[in-house]
Amino acid sequence: MATTPVLIPPTLRQESCARRQPCHCRPDSAAASVESMNAQNITVIGLGQMGSALADAFLAAGHRTTVFNRTPEKADALVARGAVRAAGVAEAVTASELVVVCVLDFAAVRELLAPVAESLRGRVLVNLTTGSPEQARAEAEWAAEHGIGYLDGAVMTTPPGVGDSANMILYAGAPELLAEHRVTLAVLGDPVDLGADAGLASLYDAGLLGLMWSVFGGWLHATALAGADGVPARDFTAVATRWMRTVSWFMTGYAEQIDAGEYPGADATIDVQVAAIGHLLHAGEARGIDNRLPELHLELMRAAVDAGHGGDSYARIIEAFRK
């Protein structure tokens, strides 16, 4: 009879802008009011849900905030709270040293900013629009050609989370610019510096969203499985979120193996996990649960075993994704 892997947990200790709703009460917010002498002139271009949340966070922190949106009515609520409405893009960018843009896509960024490139010269452009790493690198090159400081960013929360220091804003592109404006940008969330390659924020964003959807898929499958026997989703999830801390501990160890290119199976080997996942598939089948997700995991595990890597750790599966 196959044995399930013994898990030794560690000591436990916590999109495109168009897809992410402003929140005006932030009990744990980083957006504490700044002294008037430290207030900056900041421009926010693009007032969808995310752009509005960004502008609101700057306002809440006491910064002099100029806003622009092609549909002017979207600025009304912000203007009522003290923002300055710019009549056009040129007026918006010349109002501030720091210009934040958050619109539908990179094509919209270029359409808005190309005509005012000379007005942007010498200023810092923070692009929080979601796009691909290649688009971000191209935008950084365009900015450099026009003498514009450039930071590309990814907001790793939905609009209600903007302004909470528990949430990350990823930045890539010129570390010295992030260092210079870190205090100001910190009112949006915790600034994470990914380095000089302007494409890295978009790359991390894509990867982290993929991780999120995979976690959601696994959680929903497991919740459906437990729910078939009458377990409430809330009860199962309370245990599942604690389990995720252990999973993150495994990930940290596996990351070292991946970087080294060596996959010792000291904790739990793939061949043992092939046996363990069989129990999951049997339980799902008996309860009429869609098993396509764990079947994919089993397919990847079996391929590794067939290739002679059954004694390796689960981290070995990365080689299947690399192909």
Side-chain angles (χ1 to χ4, degrees):
M1 182 160 126
T3 343
T4 18
V6 177
L7 304 172
I8 305 173
T11 302
L12 299 179
R13 305 170 280 276
Q14 180 182 92
E15 77 216 309
S16 139
C17 297
R19 67 171 188 261
R20 298 174 181 164
Q21 185 130 317
C23 174
H24 309 306
C25 53
R26 304 182 179 94
D28 301 318
S29 173
S33 293
V34 297
E35 297 177 15
S36 57
M37 63 187 305
N38 294 324
Q40 280 190 260
N41 292 325
I42 298 168
T43 289
V44 177
I45 296 174
L47 301 176
Q49 290 186 344
M50 182 59 81
S52 294
L54 298 171
D56 186 62
F58 286 129
L59 281 171
H63 292 295
R64 296 180 290 271
T65 308
T66 298
V67 294
F68 172 80
N69 195 78
R70 284 189 279 199
T71 306
E73 299 76 34
K74 287 194 174 182
D76 290 351
L78 291 162
V79 170
R81 289 196 293 279
V84 176
R85 188 198 315 265
V89 181
E91 181 181 327
V93 301
T94 54
S96 309
E97 178 193 350
L98 190 67
V99 177
V100 177
V101 59
C102 184
V103 291
L104 179 63
D105 53 30
F106 274 67
V109 172
R110 189 66 65 89
E111 182 183 345
L112 284 165
L113 300 184
V116 296
E118 280 308 305
S119 297
L120 277 167
R121 186 177 294 275
R123 303 177 196 277
V124 176
L125 175 63
V126 180
N127 185 6
L128 296 180
T129 301
T130 297
S132 71
E134 290 70 28
Q135 288 175 316
R137 289 166 184 146
E139 204 66 17
E141 289 177 9
W142 174 84
E145 289 168 2
H146 291 87
I148 304 164
Y150 186 81
L151 283 170
D152 199 81
V155 183
M156 303 311 298
T157 183
T158 54
V162 171
D164 187 340
S165 61
N167 296 321
M168 299 182 295
I169 314 286
L170 309 180
Y171 293 97
E176 67 280 3
L177 292 180
L178 179 57
E180 181 182 351
H181 296 283
R182 173 177 286 276
V183 173
T184 301
L185 293 172
V187 306
L188 304 178
D190 181 27
V192 176
D193 184 0
L194 298 179
D197 180 349
L200 288 183
S202 294
L203 185 66
Y204 272 63
D205 184 39
L208 292 172
L209 288 174
L211 173 62
M212 177 188 74
W213 291 318
S214 295
V215 170
F216 282 172
W219 165 67
L220 291 170
H221 179 273
T223 302
L225 182 73
D229 282 14
V231 178
R234 180 178 297 178
D235 292 352
F236 179 77
T237 301
V239 177
T241 53
R242 182 175 176 182
W243 168 239
M244 289 303 296
R245 301 177 196 174
T246 302
V247 173
S248 69
W249 175 71
F250 278 115
M251 289 168 59
T252 301
Y254 286 161
E256 293 182 7
Q257 294 184 10
I258 290 166
D259 287 342
E262 298 176 356
Y263 311 102
D267 53 358
T269 60
I270 297 173
D271 51 12
V272 169
Q273 296 198 50
V274 166
I277 201 171
H279 306 315
L280 171 61
L281 289 164
H282 180 271
E285 187 176 323
R287 288 159 178 78
I289 303 300
D290 188 326
N291 272 339
R292 283 177 293 174
L293 187 57
E295 283 168 355
L296 172 60
H297 297 311
L298 178 58
E299 178 186 332
L300 294 169
M301 289 184 209
R302 279 183 172 159
V305 172
D306 291 345
H309 302 300
D312 288 355
S313 77
Y314 197 86
R316 161 69 68 176
I317 304 296
I318 193 172
E319 302 297 347
F321 288 107
R322 283 173 170 166
K323 291 178 181 177

